[in-house]
Amino acid sequence: MKKLLDLKFLFTAVAGLEFFYFAAAMLPPSLIPLATGWNLGPDGHWIAKLIGLSLGTMGYFAWIFRKNPHLGVAKGLAFYQMASATMDWLMWWLLAEEGIFQTTLAKTTVVVAIASHYFFGLLLIIAIKKAKKNG
């Protein structure tokens, strides 16, 4: 458990997670539905590329700060993790009738995304509080 609450470990894990999303978003449009279950139109592919670049950038910042984690960066990463998971389930709930995440693969990937983002977000929040307490 001690390892899970180490900001160095968490920054490295978040960098890996966000790189995974970056790689998925950068796939050629014909491969995205096969790999992720996302059913995207032309605008969706463009937005996925933009978001993928943002996630890759966030992963890069987590990576470059992994050896000397900054609490401000940790707070930003924790906020994103929690907000991302919340947005995923909220959009699934609000757009269910419009067919969001309608394939089995999309449902599986969004459940994994929600769980992993909440998991890392909570660990980051606990680790931040621990780091503040320990000075």
Side-chain angles (χ1 to χ4, degrees):
M1 185 65 169
K2 188 175 183 177
K3 177 90 168 173
L4 285 177
L5 296 178
D6 176 41
L7 282 174
K8 291 178 183 181
F9 169 77
L10 288 170
F11 272 51
T12 303
V14 168
L17 177 67
E18 299 311 331
F19 178 77
F20 172 79
Y21 285 115
F22 163 77
M26 293 300 121
L27 288 171
S30 62
L31 295 180
I32 288 179
L34 299 172
T36 66
W38 304 340
N39 185 14
L40 304 174
D43 289 344
H45 286 286
W46 170 67
I47 291 170
K49 301 295 185 236
L50 290 175
I51 292 171
L53 287 172
S54 298
L55 296 176
T57 301
M58 183 176 9
Y60 175 69
F61 278 100
W63 182 255
I64 62 174
F65 282 101
R66 76 191 184 284
K67 292 182 181 177
N68 190 15
H70 185 279
L71 287 182
V73 175
K75 290 175 185 177
L77 294 174
F79 172 79
Y80 171 75
Q81 297 301 314
M82 300 301 286
S84 175
T86 302
M87 187 57 66
D88 279 344
W89 72 256
L90 186 60
M91 294 308 292
W92 195 359
W93 177 58
L94 291 173
L95 298 176
E97 291 181 11
E98 295 182 39
I100 192 170
F101 309 128
Q102 69 187 105
T103 68
T104 302
L105 181 57
K107 288 176 185 169
T108 302
T109 58
V110 78
V111 168
V112 170
I114 291 168
S116 65
H117 284 300
Y118 274 138
F119 178 71
F120 284 117
L122 289 171
L123 290 177
L124 281 162
I125 290 168
I126 294 167
I128 291 166
K129 289 183 181 206
K130 180 182 162 197
K132 284 182 179 179
K133 182 180 175 183
N134 294 336

